Amino acid sequence: MEFDNIHTMLKRAERGSDYIFHDIYLASMVLLGSLEPGQTFKVVSNLTKRFYWKTGKHASDHSELNFRQARKGVTIERIFVLNTKNELSGLAEIIEEQAQAGIHIYYVFKDSIENLLPYASFAISEDLSSGIVCHREDILGKVTVTTNSEWITDLATRFDEIKAISNVPSSQSS
């Protein structure tokens, strides 16, 4: 069943159409897993709770794929969007694990980027001209997968603008 969903997503994306996908982890894994060494995966993520990275098969598989791809030479840049300073300390273990795997981690507080982030979160690969957008924080399972070049360009610009005002965790700044 998962394979059929992934196959459908890829076929629609090849045709340049957007596709609503109902599993944020699998959608992300398809895009990230398609990248080769030297290519880049950029993420603005509101998945700031430990259980998003540690609980359940898809979360574990998603984390492991991130680690494998980073170690293989895929550049992964992840900006965590935090609501409070307490979230940063609660995310310390996840940040450390990802940084040790070679993932470039940043964080920013939501109130400082509200005009830059009209979505709950997004991930893009300019190399593959593909992106994943989660529109609402309360429906993380429903995402739009797109190959629309204008949308990808807009998301890349937003990523760069958000990154420019983001912070590097102290564990990475040495």
Side-chain angles (χ1 to χ4, degrees):
M1 182 63 161
E2 289 175 11
F3 178 78
D4 291 338
N5 288 336
I6 292 166
H7 192 260
T8 299
M9 180 179 85
L10 291 174
K11 279 201 153 311
R12 289 189 181 172
E14 283 175 7
R15 291 194 308 257
S17 62
D18 295 342
Y19 177 65
I20 302 299
F21 200 69
H22 293 279
D23 190 321
I24 192 170
Y25 293 110
L26 288 178
S28 179
M29 289 170 65
V30 168
L31 182 53
L32 179 58
S34 299
L35 293 170
E36 297 295 328
Q39 294 181 320
T40 301
F41 188 61
K42 298 177 179 180
V43 185
V44 175
S45 177
N46 67 343
L47 301 181
T48 59
K49 306 283 188 273
R50 185 180 189 284
F51 68 85
Y52 288 128
W53 299 95
K54 295 287 189 176
T55 305
K57 178 179 177 356
H58 289 321
S60 298
D61 290 349
H62 178 258
S63 292
E64 287 302 317
L65 178 62
N66 273 263
F67 300 156
R68 276 195 314 276
Q69 288 292 78
R71 289 184 181 119
K72 194 169 98 174
V74 172
T75 300
I76 301 173
E77 296 182 285
R78 178 167 289 113
I79 303 170
F80 285 108
V81 179
L82 308 173
N83 291 306
T84 67
K85 288 185 180 180
N86 287 342
E87 280 184 326
L88 183 58
S89 60
L91 204 54
E93 176 189 356
I94 303 305
I95 288 172
E96 185 62 28
E97 283 180 348
Q98 291 190 15
Q100 285 179 356
I103 298 170
H104 304 278
I105 301 295
Y106 309 88
Y107 69 92
V108 67
F109 291 100
K110 185 177 181 178
D111 61 358
S112 68
I113 61 162
E114 287 188 33
N115 294 334
L116 294 174
L117 187 63
Y119 314 108
S121 60
F122 66 86
I124 59 167
S125 169
E126 292 170 280
D127 300 299
L128 299 180
S129 299
S130 300
I132 302 164
V133 176
C134 182
H135 298 275
R136 293 175 39 185
E137 287 184 43
D138 60 336
I139 307 180
L140 293 175
K142 185 176 180 182
V143 296
T144 302
V145 178
T146 186
T147 56
N148 178 296
S149 61
E150 289 178 22
W151 201 3
I152 299 301
T153 299
D154 179 62
L155 292 172
T157 299
R158 288 177 188 275
F159 180 88
D160 291 341
E161 291 172 347
I162 294 168
K163 181 180 170 185
I165 60 173
S166 294
N167 304 289
V168 176
S170 57
S171 63
Q172 272 189 250
S173 55
S174 37

